[in-house]
Amino acid sequence: KKLIYTFNEGHIENKHLLGGKGANLAEMTHLGLPVPQGFTITTECCMNYLADTAFFEKPLKAEVLKAIQTLESETGKSFTSDENILLVSVRSGAAFSMPGMMDTILNLGLNDLRVQSFATLTNMNFAFDCYRRLLQMFGDVVYGIHKEQFNVLLHQTESRLNKKVTAFTEEEHLDVIELYKNLFFKNKVAFPQDPMEQLFEATKAVFKSWNNQRAKVYRNLHHIPHHLGTAVNVQSMVFGNSGDESGTGVVFTRNPSEGENKLFGEFLINAQGEDVVAGIRTPEPIESLQAILPEVYHDFIEYSNKLEQHYKDMQDIEFTIENGKLYILQTRNGKRTAKATLKIALDLAAEGLISKKEAIMRVSPEVIDQLIHPVFDTKKLATAEAFATGLPASPGAATGSIVFTAEKAKEYTALGKKVILVRQETSPEDIEGMVVSEAIVTSRGGMTSHAAVVARGMGTCCVAGCEALTVNETAKTILCGNHTLTEGDIISVDGSTGSLYLGEIPAIVPENDQSLQQLLTWADECAELKVRANAETLQDLQTAIDFGATGIGLARTEHMFFGDERVLEMRRLILAKDEQEVQFALNKLLDFQQEDFYQMLKTVQDKPMVIRLLDPPMHEFLPHDTHEIKILAEQLNRYPSSVEKQIEKLQETNPMLGHRGCRLGITEPLIYQMQVKAIFNSAIQLAKEGLTVSPEVMVPLISEKEELDYVKNFLTETIEATFKEHQIEPFPYEIGTMIELPRACIIADQLAENADFFSFGTNDLTQMTFGFSRDDIGKFINIYKEKEIMKQDPFQVLDQSGVGELIKLAVGKARQTKENMMIGICGEVGGNPESIAFFQQIGIDYVSCSPYRIPAARLAVAQAVL
Ligand code: ADP
Ligand code: MG
Ligand code: MG
């Protein structure tokens, strides 16, 4: 098996072996771009080494030696001799990009001797700059000595000598190197002088960095498997820190925040590696390069166009200029905000680079979720006082308590508080705190700083480089003009404008935006599954329709029985002593519900609306404490003791498995009769007003064919009678059932004989199939996940092998009886993309989900086809 590929041998198809960085370095080499030569040690080697460290001695070591020899002859330089010095970088790179999560070491190969000859070859300052950087990165990555400790030593020396490092004499440089080496010594390690030894240790350290804490957290967050490993790229160095015609930079080929087709990036003259993102000096915008090094700029434009055309996507490019010559060191599909994702996908399609279908696939449903997320209420914003403004690094609107550390962020959120993480600059160690924060604010760093990049990836609101803030992380204070803020103070952060506000500002959901409409229209053209909404309040119904629901898949009616006035009538009905009382209560309820249905149907108009008849257990409507019972007794003009006895009789041990759903409809047919009467009275009224309405009446919790036959029979009678009463020609309507019990799935062929439609209630079906109470699963699901007994909460993502199989069986049986029966899914998983893909496969007609999940679901149903 091949352990190492040179960039010339590598191929983009081998991304799983070469990692993203390695595969793209190979691809760019084939494209003829100026890439410093090198080789990639595969991800498999990483996993082999992590499983058994002996793998390194044999067989890997010999292969690395060979690869170095090849690199030496390719470059005509030497990695070990003191002449014509070859230095390399050792760069991590997994198959899925994990920016900054694993480690890289630059300038490998320098030592006490070679730095001298390197200085004669180039210049002294530069040579020692490289050597110091090597010692620092090596100490940090290989031995875990924090970077900052080296900086402290350097700064101390600078102050002691009262001059900048760039003005040091050779002796003074050597002094600093001595201090650095002492730091190694204090940590009971030594910096290896042998370049090969350096390379071996660095490689092992990069392998190990696959398992560092922040990389693990990042993988969990982005659902990247833990068994993939990282590749190690060994690449000959080019030096951006070798003078005024040298430099380094990072550029996105399009704006990663807004998506516009314009280069977006920064560079620093006379700088190396991560100087740009580390926010040490303030970088310049890429456009300025045109004036400073016009030829380099010209070349850069050519390469960046070439890369975008080749990858057919926005690229995030790292480059280095060495003495006026441009090198490309990395390219990858750039991370971007939700807004930019959408714009870039649509633009690329318009430019003819990708097809409509590809554009649909480029946008994930989660992106859509972010696009419809809140922004601050503009009216409230107008009166709010912005106390500082930074860079609008990642859009969104958030309010929360200030915290200064990742630990505090976790601590606060564990208590249910919303937090805003405020730091000078974030580093990969902060990842856990960033995940739980509503927003991230930094006082330093640019649009490509760590905070900005990570926040955009997570869809978290972020304001970066807010320089007006003096953030003191130890004292836990922020000074800004005449404001002093401390931990726990509430601020609001606008990631779209970069403004920070004192106190809370209410947020609202943005209007449906045009580009989103465009994409979703394309999605609708491809989709087979329809998307309906679970909604019953007028506002939710309207939102659902605005978001493009093709109908209502589940309108519950419970709410029509609650509220002081209504629940009293329901209670009167349940506890009624005589026929007269029953009729009184029913008439009242009928009036209420008729008005409700009228408004609901009018909102939905000609779109189908599934209305579910009353479902919850009886006891939910009854009072339980003595005081409330006393009041009720008074209202009903009865003795409290008699009411109490009656209520006691209605108690159930297991209400969710008790007297509910159609069981209630069978024992108390008057309630269901009243409900359909209310539905059809209002439907007929609307028909008379000239509207077409299509109510679909759904009977819950059926487990037996006879139950459905019985209920459907009296419902039909009532509906027909209602049409007669109004002297109107009956219009089409349907009576179907909710399939939410395992038994109903098994006898679906029988149920289909008398049902006009099916809708799977996946919440109850999951509950009844697992025997997990939906209300109690929270107590153990996290432990189940930790112990890897279950991967996901089955109430959020369909359990395909259990509940899914039952649904599949039921669909098959139902279609045997009635080939074209309408079959839908309502319940939480109806809006989950992964579950949607399964529903597409088994021939469901529509999914139904809550209104805010509709845009994402419209996209997911299209992606399920493509
Ligand atoms: P990351 O994955 O964290 O971006 P990289 O491996 O890309 O880490 O390297 C970190 C920095 O070092 C980048 O700015 C990169 O451009 C620079 N770098 C890496 N290898 C070389 C090299 N051979 N010559 C010059 N600069 C390099
Ligand atoms: Mg990089
Ligand atoms: Mg149910």
Side-chain angles (χ1 to χ4, degrees), residues 772-782 790 792-795:
F772 284 164
S773 154
R774 179 179 8 154
D775 304 313
D776 300 313
I777 191 172
K779 297 212 167 67
F780 56 85
I781 186 70
N782 284 335
M790 287 181 90
Q792 281 147 330
D793 178 348
F795 292 99

Side-chain angles (χ1 to χ4, degrees), residues 21 36-37 87-93 98-107 137 233-240 248-250 271-277 317-320 327-330 332:
K21 199 179 281 170
Q37 284 164 321
L87 300 183
V88 298
S89 63
V90 169
R91 319 173 63 188
S92 61
M98 301 167 56
M101 285 300 135
M102 287 172 307
D103 297 318
T104 286
I105 302 179
L106 305 182
N107 310 328
M137 282 185 269
N233 301 289
V234 178
Q235 185 173 28
S236 55
M237 283 299 302
V238 285
F239 299 99
T248 175
V250 182
Q272 186 174 59
E274 301 198 303
D275 293 358
V276 173
V277 278
I317 303 170
E318 287 177 8
F319 66 90
T320 283
Y327 294 91
I328 307 293
L329 291 175
Q330 188 174 343
R332 62 186 163 208

Side-chain angles (χ1 to χ4, degrees), residues 128 300 349 499:
F128 278 101
F300 183 80
S499 295

Side-chain angles (χ1 to χ4, degrees), residues 813-830:
K813 288 192 161 217
R815 298 233 189 269
Q816 273 167 29
T817 309
K818 266 192 198 145
E819 211 187 315
N820 294 320
M821 186 156 109
M822 181 71 95
I823 302 180
I825 303 281
C826 56
E828 222 37 56
V829 300

Side-chain angles (χ1 to χ4, degrees), residues 671-796:
I671 299 177
Y672 276 13
Q673 279 172 350
M674 178 276 295
Q675 286 198 289
V676 288
K677 213 162 164 192
I679 294 169
F680 283 85
N681 274 344
S682 47
I684 290 165
Q685 175 64 31
L686 286 162
K688 283 183 183 162
E689 291 170 21
L691 287 182
T692 323
V693 290
S694 355
E696 300 178 350
V697 177
M698 181 157 76
V699 186
L701 216 72
I702 292 284
S703 61
E704 179 74 86
K705 179 169 188 294
E706 280 67 26
E707 287 176 326
L708 181 61
D709 293 349
Y710 179 84
V711 174
K712 191 175 177 193
N713 197 27
F714 77 73
L715 290 181
T716 315
E717 269 173 23
T718 313
I719 295 167
E720 296 304 317
T722 312
F723 278 118
K724 268 216 189 91
E725 217 172 279
H726 288 269
Q727 298 179 331
I728 175 174
E729 193 55 30
F731 51 75
Y733 63 89
E734 296 194 342
I735 298 178
T737 179
M738 195 147 176
I739 304 287
E740 49 188 336
L741 294 171
R743 189 173 197 279
C745 292
I746 293 163
I747 60 157
D749 47 343
Q750 296 174 39
L751 295 178
E753 283 168 21
N754 205 12
D756 299 325
F757 66 86
F758 276 177
S759 175
F760 287 92
T762 50
N763 292 347
D764 260 312
L765 188 57
T766 301
Q767 171 160 271
M768 304 291 185
T769 303
F770 275 100
F772 284 164
S773 154
R774 179 179 8 154
D775 304 313
D776 300 313
I777 191 172
K779 297 212 167 67
F780 56 85
I781 186 70
N782 284 335
I783 299 172
Y784 265 45
K785 282 190 199 162
E786 269 165 34
K787 301 199 170 177
E788 292 184 12
I789 288 170
M790 287 181 90
K791 281 214 182 71
Q792 281 147 330
D793 178 348
F795 292 99
Q796 282 167 23

Side-chain angles (χ1 to χ4, degrees), residues 401-410 412 419-426 430 433 437 441 469-479 484-489 491:
S401 310
I402 296 172
V403 292
F404 294 92
T405 61
E407 286 69 52
K408 265 284 179 275
K410 286 193 281 178
Y412 269 51
V419 300
I420 311 276
L421 180 64
V422 183
R423 294 186 65 78
Q424 291 186 352
E425 164 63 292
T426 60
D430 295 321
S437 299
V441 176
L469 306 184
T470 309
V471 178
N472 188 331
E473 285 155 18
T474 359
K476 298 183 180 169
T477 55
I478 303 173
L479 298 181
T484 307
L485 299 170
T486 67
E487 189 176 81
D489 288 353
I491 57 168

